[in-house]
């Protein structure tokens, strides 16, 4: 049942190219345009939306943080992202012109479900992004976009996360298309980029052996930090969450721009710091800033583990360990940048003798508060 893999988690990591391809399937027409028939919210209502609020927990929340960049970029509508457990106790301001996007692999997470109920009571429209057919959250939402990751058995979410990202990009494009902020060739061009992701993921997966070696060499460490910016920031948070839940290590993700505001005080000799580097092509300003951050932490003794695009030479002098990811458009980079971090956490957990599919104290579906 594990298909020859040592764990369900490794199997599910390896299934990601197919999971992404399946989630795109049937949502692109013969002309390469987007068709999201499942989003049964009428276009005039989508045009009238004044704000989008994404609610989710854990890894799904990280997908939501990335969705914000895509939704604001392509649909030009303000987007907030909130932990469902905070949202539901906060008396949030919502009305009929609010669109709530609830992201949940299981469709049963209690906090997310309660957030959905609360949103609908306020008159907001709710769109669920979910991996489990017929589960409670989609049943209680106005519409649902299913991710097609297939059953996820390992407690730690991997392929569900990547497919949540794909669904978020599709929603952002669909909103943009409906509202007239992104259309025609631009939509088709992003769709083409998305269609290229499964092949890019195959390349990432083919090159993970050095990541596993590094992970094994760090098995006796206590702390690992993760840095990123823009869409790389949620990727850093996700890398840290995976390490906490699987390797039971202290791990924290930071926005690289915040280093000087506190976290840099944590850097000491030999501390592993994983840095997710944005593309030097798209947002070159951010790229330059993160290269300076890598220099700064390395000057203070950090052992830098750099995830950077193929051909990005600027990082080479400052990377103690360098892992390459294929060049993809900036907004889509989390799809490829997350995978090495999943492998890193999985291998580190195994090296520490932990059960990766069933981490201590955790359940696959959190149906209590
Ligand atoms: C982390 C993980 C959890 C879930 C969270 C939400 O690897 O799996 O953080 O992402 O419990 O679960 P769903 O998506 O089922 O609502």
């Amino acid at each position: 049942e594990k298909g020859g893999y040592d764990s369900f988690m490794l199997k599910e990591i390896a299934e990601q190219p197919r999971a992404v391809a399946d989630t795109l399937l049937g949502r692109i027409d013969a002309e390469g345009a987007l068709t999201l028939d499942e989003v049964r919210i009428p276009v005039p209502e989508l045009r009238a939306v004044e704000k989008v609020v994404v609610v989710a927990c854990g890894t799904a929340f990280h997908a939501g943080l990335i969705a914000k960049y895509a939704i604001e970029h392509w649909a030009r509508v303000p987007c907030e992202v909130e932990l469902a457990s905070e949202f539901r106790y906060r008396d949030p301001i919502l009305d009929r012109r609010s669109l709530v996007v609830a992201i949940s692999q299981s469709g049963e997470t209690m906090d997310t479900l309660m957030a959905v109920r609360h949103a609908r009571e306020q008159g907001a429209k709710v769109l669920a992004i979910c991996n489990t057919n017929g589960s409670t959250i989609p049943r209680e939402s106005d519409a649902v976009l299913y991710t097609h990751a297939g059953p996820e058995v390992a407690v730690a979410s991997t392929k569900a996360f990547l497919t949540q990202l794909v669904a978020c990009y599709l929603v952002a494009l669909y909103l943009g298309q409906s509202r007239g902020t992104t259309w025609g060739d631009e939509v088709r061009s992003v769709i083409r980029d998305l269609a290229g992701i499964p092949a890019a993921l195959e390349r990432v997966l083919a090159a993970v052996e050095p990541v596993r070696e590094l992970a094994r060499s760090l098995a006796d460490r206590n702390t690992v930090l993760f840095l990123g910016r823009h869409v790389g920031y949620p990727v850093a948070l996700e890398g840290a969450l995976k390490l906490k839940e699987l390797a039971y290590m202290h791990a924290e993700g930071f926005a690289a721009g915040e280093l000087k505001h506190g976290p840099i005080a944590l850097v000491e000799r030999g501390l592993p710091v994983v840095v997710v580097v944005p593309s030097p092509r798209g947002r070159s300003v951010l790229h330059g800033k993160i290269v300076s951050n890598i220099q700064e932490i390395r000057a203070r003794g950090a052992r830098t583990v750099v995830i950077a695009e193929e051909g990005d030479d600027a990082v080479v002098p400052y990377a103690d360990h360098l892992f390459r990811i294929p060049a993809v458009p900036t907004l889509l980079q989390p799809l490829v940048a997350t995978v090495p971090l999943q492998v890193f956490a999985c291998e580190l957990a195994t090296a520490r003798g932990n059960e990766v599919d069933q981490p201590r104290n955790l359940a696959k579906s959190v149906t209590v508060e």
Side-chain angles (χ1 to χ4, degrees):
E1 49 186 25
K2 291 179 192 160
Y5 292 91
D6 291 342
S7 61
F8 280 106
M9 186 174 174
L10 279 174
K11 174 172 176 268
E12 289 163 4
I13 288 173
E15 284 170 353
Q16 293 182 111
R18 196 204 38 99
V20 165
D22 285 352
T23 300
L24 289 169
L25 207 69
R27 288 163 175 166
I28 301 166
D29 69 16
E31 275 79 55
L34 185 61
T35 54
L36 287 191
D37 301 336
E38 309 102 300
V39 180
R40 288 168 304 144
I41 302 168
V43 168
E45 280 183 42
L46 293 178
R47 294 181 78 95
V49 166
E50 286 174 357
K51 76 168 171 181
V52 177
V53 182
V54 184
V55 292
C57 302
T59 287
F61 171 70
H62 297 153
L65 292 175
I66 294 164
K68 173 183 168 79
Y69 291 84
I71 289 170
E72 292 192 341
H73 181 76
W74 286 320
R76 303 305 298 155
V77 56
C79 177
E80 301 164 13
V81 191
E82 192 157 346
L83 293 166
S85 56
E86 291 295 321
F87 176 89
R88 55 180 288 215
Y89 292 109
R90 193 174 53 77
D91 202 7
I93 301 162
L94 296 171
D95 61 25
R96 298 172 49 212
R97 285 180 296 272
S98 314
L99 174 67
V100 170
V101 178
I103 310 176
S104 175
Q105 187 285 129
S106 62
E108 301 296 346
T109 298
M110 184 56 82
D111 281 317
T112 310
L113 174 61
M114 291 304 170
V116 166
R117 286 187 184 157
H118 185 79
R120 294 196 73 197
E121 278 161 18
Q122 313 300 303
K125 285 274 179 261
V126 178
L127 169 64
I129 292 177
C130 184
N131 196 47
T132 311
N133 269 45
S135 55
T136 312
I137 289 171
R139 275 195 278 117
E140 296 208 11
S141 300
D142 294 285
V144 53
L145 192 62
Y146 281 108
T147 50
H148 296 153
E152 195 177 58
V153 177
V155 165
S157 190
T158 55
K159 61 176 181 171
F161 176 66
L162 258 60
T163 60
Q164 283 162 357
L165 289 179
V166 170
C168 288
Y169 294 129
L170 294 180
V171 166
L173 283 173
Y174 188 70
L175 275 175
Q177 193 172 277
S178 305
R179 299 166 67 86
T181 51
T182 303
W183 63 88
D185 286 348
E186 198 181 348
V187 172
R188 277 192 287 273
S189 141
V190 181
I191 296 281
R192 256 198 317 278
D193 293 332
L194 281 168
I197 293 293
L201 287 169
E202 293 289 2
R203 280 167 57 206
V204 176
L205 290 168
V208 290
E209 197 45 47
V211 178
R212 303 179 69 173
E213 265 167 48
L214 174 67
R216 288 193 287 271
S217 78
L218 296 176
D220 61 346
R221 296 311 177 96
N222 298 316
T223 299
V224 179
L225 301 185
F226 293 77
L227 292 180
R229 52 188 315 156
H230 194 257
V231 290
Y233 169 44
V235 173
L237 296 177
E238 174 62 6
L241 178 61
K242 284 284 160 293
L243 205 56
K244 280 176 228 180
E245 66 178 338
L246 296 166
Y248 318 149
M249 285 167 82
H250 171 226
E252 271 192 84
F254 297 110
E258 276 291 296
L259 260 185
K260 287 191 180 62
H261 302 287
I264 199 162
L266 289 169
V267 176
E268 56 189 17
R269 193 144 299 282
L271 176 75
V273 183
V274 180
V275 188
V276 181
V277 180
S279 165
R281 297 162 301 120
R283 308 222 157 212
S284 50
V285 185
L286 294 186
H287 179 265
K289 286 188 192 295
I290 223 163
V291 174
S292 316
N293 292 143
I294 304 174
Q295 278 175 264
E296 283 159 5
I297 55 171
R298 196 156 183 266
R300 287 160 181 79
R303 181 163 162 194
T304 57
V305 180
V306 175
I307 315 279
E309 190 175 292
E310 286 158 0
D312 178 354
D313 295 331
V315 296
V316 174
Y318 316 111
D320 293 308
H321 306 273
L322 178 57
F323 301 118
R324 293 298 191 181
I325 50 176
V328 299
T330 301
L331 280 171
L332 306 189
Q333 199 202 44
L335 288 167
V336 289
T338 303
V339 177
L341 306 187
Q342 297 167 342
V343 172
F344 182 70
C346 186
E347 190 68 23
L348 232 160
T350 307
R352 285 162 76 93
N354 300 350
E355 170 54 65
V356 289
D357 288 336
Q358 289 286 341
R360 69 184 182 200
N361 310 340
L362 293 173
K364 183 66 185 161
S365 169
V366 184
T367 53
V368 294
E369 293 190 38

